[in-house]
Amino acid sequence: MELTGEVRVDEAPEQDMAAVSYVPNELLSRLVGIRMYSVEFVLNDYVQLRFDGEPKADGPIVLNSYVWPVVESAGRSWREPELGYADALRRLTPGTVVSTGEATGTGIRIELDTGTVVIHPAVDEVYVEIAMLIGFEDRSWMVWRPGEESFEDLH
């Protein structure tokens, strides 16, 4: 299945996958009001942010960030590999999402009541994908790549 910067919705198994036109922040904004309960570092390669799932979803909502996000909290910013970065990211949990945003030039921004996660890497920090959001009840999901939606400035 190839992603081209569109929100994807998985249909019933006997039907083809339908693509819907991409609207920045439409899917991401569905995180507002949801608790981020876990931060998982995967083999020092990427980070998973896990959010409470929707009632009829198969599991949690997960944002995989394939670049190290910036953490903003208590009036300062932390970046990987700064001392205290992992602790600052973990301290965002449990936090409830209060707003989200995504735009070219700023990337993805998730504001929680405990701090903020910003995903807007430099070009040399990206290998293929920047982030992926999955786990919604209607099976909508999104993958962000450099040069595509909200990251057109990275090419």
Side-chain angles (χ1 to χ4, degrees):
M1 158 172 31
E2 182 178 333
L3 298 175
T4 59
E6 296 177 343
V7 174
R8 298 292 186 163
V9 179
D10 291 342
E11 299 294 328
E14 65 277 357
Q15 297 176 353
D16 291 332
M17 181 189 308
V20 206
S21 294
Y22 182 72
V23 177
N25 202 41
E26 184 176 52
L27 186 63
L28 192 64
S29 69
R30 289 168 62 180
L31 294 175
V32 174
I34 296 177
R35 178 183 66 130
M36 183 174 79
Y37 69 86
S38 174
V39 172
E40 297 179 27
F41 296 90
V42 181
L43 294 174
N44 203 30
D45 186 37
Y46 66 99
V47 65
Q48 290 185 330
L49 307 178
R50 292 182 176 263
F51 301 85
D52 288 329
E54 297 177 314
K56 294 182 182 175
D58 295 333
I61 298 168
V62 179
L63 178 86
N64 289 333
S65 182
Y66 303 113
V67 297
W68 297 110
V70 174
V71 178
E72 297 175 352
S73 180
R76 79 166 280 206
S77 297
W78 283 269
R79 298 176 183 276
E80 165 66 31
E82 294 175 352
L83 186 61
Y85 172 79
D87 291 332
L89 194 51
R90 284 191 297 264
R91 274 194 299 271
L92 296 178
T93 62
T96 301
V97 178
V98 294
S99 70
T100 62
E102 64 173 292
T104 301
T106 58
I108 296 170
R109 184 175 185 88
I110 302 171
E111 294 188 31
L112 301 109
D113 57 5
T114 52
T116 303
V117 174
V118 179
I119 302 172
H120 190 254
V123 175
D124 63 347
E125 295 176 302
V126 182
Y127 294 101
V128 178
E129 297 170 344
I130 296 168
M132 177 173 66
L133 182 61
I134 59 172
F136 292 99
E137 186 176 322
D138 64 1
R139 300 189 185 269
S140 294
W141 52 287
M142 177 64 188
V143 171
W144 291 271
R145 293 188 183 101
E148 296 179 358
E149 284 77 4
S150 302
F151 293 96
E152 289 93 347
D153 56 319
L154 303 179
H155 35 59

